[in-house]
Amino acid sequence: QVQLVESGGGLVQAGGSLRLSCAASGRSFSYYAMGWFRQAPGKEREFVAAINWSGTSINYRDSVKGRFTISRDNAKNTLYLQINSLKAEDTAVYYCAGYGRTSYSGSPDYWGRGTLVTVSS
């Protein structure tokens, strides 16, 4: 079992940057693939980025490539999402997700409660 707690969201102007963090409890974090998802107002939750257990395999949705960077520190049980060049359409609740296995194939098994990112234009 893994508990996930996101932080780092907030209000930022378009073009700005944020770094989201996800603190994981439990000894299994370093063996699990992790991901970030987001849900904009009135829309369904969507995949943003994922990273395998070792950080050697990473995937992004097309609309964030070149602006978002996912990373992890297994020694600190923490997942990160660096978000640069923010756009109004990035406004959403961002969720940390754990896959319960080493690769990010399929759907996550664990979810955090989310952190709100609001981008003002």
Side-chain angles (χ1 to χ4, degrees):
Q1 190 74 13
V2 175
Q3 285 78 45
L4 305 172
V5 179
E6 303 93 337
S7 62
L11 175 64
V12 63
Q13 288 188 331
S17 298
L18 281 176
R19 188 174 81 156
L20 306 184
S21 298
C22 172
S25 64
R27 294 176 292 176
S28 301
F29 173 84
S30 59
Y31 301 107
Y32 288 168
M34 299 293 296
W36 289 97
F37 288 70
R38 67 185 181 186
Q39 186 168 18
K43 296 187 177 181
E44 294 189 352
R45 188 179 298 185
E46 64 183 18
F47 167 79
V48 174
I51 185 169
N52 73 338
W53 71 280
S54 61
T56 56
S57 178
I58 289 174
N59 190 31
Y60 297 99
R61 72 179 298 105
D62 287 345
S63 61
V64 308
K65 287 180 180 177
R67 299 189 299 120
F68 289 20
T69 302
I70 188 172
S71 62
R72 65 189 298 160
D73 186 336
N74 287 345
K76 295 183 178 180
N77 275 16
T78 303
L79 177 74
Y80 302 101
L81 185 68
Q82 178 68 41
I83 308 175
N84 298 327
S85 303
L86 276 158
K87 304 176 180 180
E89 52 263 41
D90 295 321
T91 294
V93 177
Y94 283 73
Y95 296 92
C96 174
Y99 283 82
R101 52 197 174 279
T102 58
S103 67
Y104 46 77
S105 59
S107 300
D109 298 294
Y110 308 106
W111 294 92
R113 293 188 174 185
T115 186
L116 176 63
V117 172
T118 303
V119 183
S120 63
S121 56

